[in-house]
Amino acid sequence: MKIHGEKREWSHPIFCMKKHYCPHCNEMLEKTKAETVVNSKSKEAKNYDFSQAGGDGYMMGNVKFIRTAFRCNKCDKTYSIEELLEIEGMR
């Protein structure tokens, strides 16, 4: 599958700088990148922002979205920022 664009999404930077622990085993979580490829014409596209940096137009086709995620090496589980916010009661 050909990738037509790439976008790095940043959310909750202060939350990402803090230490977080696995809700299952209490092991310290490690920051990692979660990548998702979404086609701009798919049903899933409504959950993503296809605008280009600077606000000049939109990306079309298969776009790779890169977000920060947290991974537990012991449980082999990955958590999104939104999941951790909910689990830690900060939402």
Side-chain angles (χ1 to χ4, degrees):
M1 168 186 343
K2 184 175 181 181
I3 305 295
H4 300 104
E6 188 173 288
K7 185 169 184 178
R8 178 74 162 113
E9 294 184 329
W10 301 97
S11 65
H12 305 284
I14 294 172
F15 180 80
C16 291
M17 291 187 323
K18 296 178 182 178
K19 292 180 182 179
H20 300 280
Y21 297 89
C22 179
H24 292 86
C25 69
N26 211 30
E27 187 80 14
M28 192 163 92
L29 298 173
E30 185 177 289
K31 268 195 294 189
T32 186
K33 291 179 184 177
E35 299 178 352
T36 307
V37 177
V38 181
N39 187 287
S40 60
K41 294 183 180 177
S42 70
K43 290 180 183 178
E44 187 182 12
K46 67 180 179 183
N47 300 325
Y48 293 87
D49 179 15
F50 283 83
S51 63
Q52 291 181 340
D56 294 336
Y58 292 91
M59 294 184 275
M60 301 295 289
N62 296 323
V63 178
K64 182 191 296 185
F65 290 89
I66 304 168
R67 295 176 171 165
T68 300
F70 292 88
R71 181 169 174 19
C72 177
N73 289 326
K74 189 174 180 182
C75 296
D76 197 30
K77 179 141 176 61
T78 302
Y79 300 94
S80 69
I81 292 172
E82 290 76 22
E83 286 176 313
L84 276 181
L85 282 168
E86 185 103 6
I87 290 167
E88 294 179 5
M90 299 179 83
R91 190 160 278 230

